[in-house]
Amino acid sequence: MLEATPLKAFSDNYIWLVHSPRQPRDVAVVDPGDARPVIEALEQQHLALQTILVTHHHADHVGGVAELRQRYGVPVIGPGAETIPERSRGVAGGEQVSLPELGLDLDVLDIPGHTRGHIAFYGHGALFCGDTLFSAGCGRLFEGTPTQMQHSLATLRDLPGETRVYCGHEYTLNNLRFALTVEPDNGAAREYMETAKTLRSGNQPTLPSTLSLEIAVNPFLRWDEPTVQKSAERRAGCSLDNPVEVFATIRRWKDGFN
């Protein structure tokens, strides 16, 4: 099993430090929006950075890439369809990223919607999905379409339920508030809200989540649940005929949710 620990950045970002199963001193880093917390962790824990992985081009995910690349001389692997600073290899869905120094092989998944070229890295029971899937939520549609995003989320929903979900932000409490607005009687979401409140009150991350938990609580993975469909139809004021329409309605609703 792959082990990853969060490094906090900015107000709510997580940079993921991925440890080698065979030599925990060797690490990769996912979406380093800021170099400082990565450098501090490497120096304080006597770790050796081997690779930088990037899911999409937004500044809060790539802002530290150039400094880390120049300081440590490691490869930068990210989406080939987006402009990534210092990228040494561009990848797309269907490819595999081999990290021999860490003893890890990760599959690349195309998951556009938040951005047009967004990718995820999946393997060893872990999913690094950037800003496409959040715990109890999903990313805004800055560049993609509802059809793209719903298809991307369906791709992730089909992964094994025990998959651990490592996303890019600590948005869980607010996302659960919205999830319970969509499905007020979702007992799993209510239970998760209490767990998340306890974690956050202790300044602990709610992540990683698991895919099985997300399928139970996340309205953006539950477009085919009758309770979510009915809630979306009440919001839209009309019947909704397919999963994309349900998803798009819920996503627009969340965009204006406070």
Side-chain angles (χ1 to χ4, degrees), residues 114-130:
H114 182 67
T115 65
R116 280 189 292 271
H118 202 303
I119 62 172
F121 298 96
Y122 168 69
H124 306 272
L127 172 69
F128 297 94
C129 51

Side-chain angles (χ1 to χ4, degrees), residues 25-247:
R25 180 176 174 274
D26 291 329
V27 296
V29 67
V30 182
D31 286 351
D34 184 1
R36 180 187 53 80
V38 178
I39 294 169
E40 289 178 356
L42 295 175
E43 293 180 348
Q44 292 171 6
Q45 300 176 44
H46 307 289
L47 302 173
L49 183 63
Q50 300 293 344
T51 308
I52 298 169
L53 302 174
V54 175
T55 64
H56 66 291
H57 68 83
H58 284 165
D60 62 325
H61 291 253
V62 302
V65 168
E67 182 176 349
L68 293 172
R69 162 81 166 165
Q70 291 161 15
R71 186 180 183 114
Y72 298 105
V74 297
V76 177
I77 302 171
E82 297 189 354
T83 301
I84 305 298
E86 302 284 339
R87 184 182 60 207
S88 48
R89 179 185 171 192
V91 295
E95 295 185 55
Q96 188 173 77
V97 172
S98 181
L99 306 176
E101 300 87 355
L102 276 68
L104 297 173
D105 294 301
L106 302 174
D107 294 327
V108 180
L109 308 176
D110 281 330
I111 51 170
H114 182 67
T115 65
R116 280 189 292 271
H118 202 303
I119 62 172
F121 298 96
Y122 168 69
H124 306 272
L127 172 69
F128 297 94
C129 51
D131 287 359
T132 295
L133 176 65
F134 296 128
S135 189
C138 77
R140 289 178 180 264
L141 305 184
F142 286 120
E143 299 173 11
T145 66
T147 299
Q148 286 178 314
M149 188 61 134
Q150 190 271 336
H151 183 268
S152 294
L153 292 169
T155 297
L156 300 183
R157 192 174 76 164
D158 285 342
L159 296 174
E162 64 271 19
T163 300
R164 284 162 294 137
V165 179
Y166 297 89
C167 52
H169 292 268
E170 181 58 72
Y171 290 160
T172 306
L173 285 178
N174 187 59
N175 286 342
L176 283 167
R177 285 180 52 240
F178 177 72
L180 286 166
T181 301
V182 177
E183 288 188 282
D185 297 325
N186 186 322
R190 289 191 174 280
E191 182 177 344
Y192 186 27
M193 173 69 91
E194 294 309 308
T195 300
K197 284 180 178 178
T198 300
L199 288 168
R200 295 308 296 148
S201 68
N203 199 31
Q204 296 298 308
T206 60
L207 304 171
S209 176
T210 64
L211 197 54
S212 60
L213 176 60
E214 295 308 315
I215 291 169
V217 305
N218 191 328
F220 297 106
L221 296 180
R222 293 171 59 79
W223 53 76
D224 47 8
E225 288 291 327
T227 50
V228 174
Q229 291 176 341
K230 290 176 182 177
S231 190
E233 288 176 342
R234 285 195 298 271
R235 181 71 180 183
C238 63
S239 63
L240 302 173
D241 297 328
N242 60 64
V244 173
E245 290 182 355
V246 174
F247 168 79

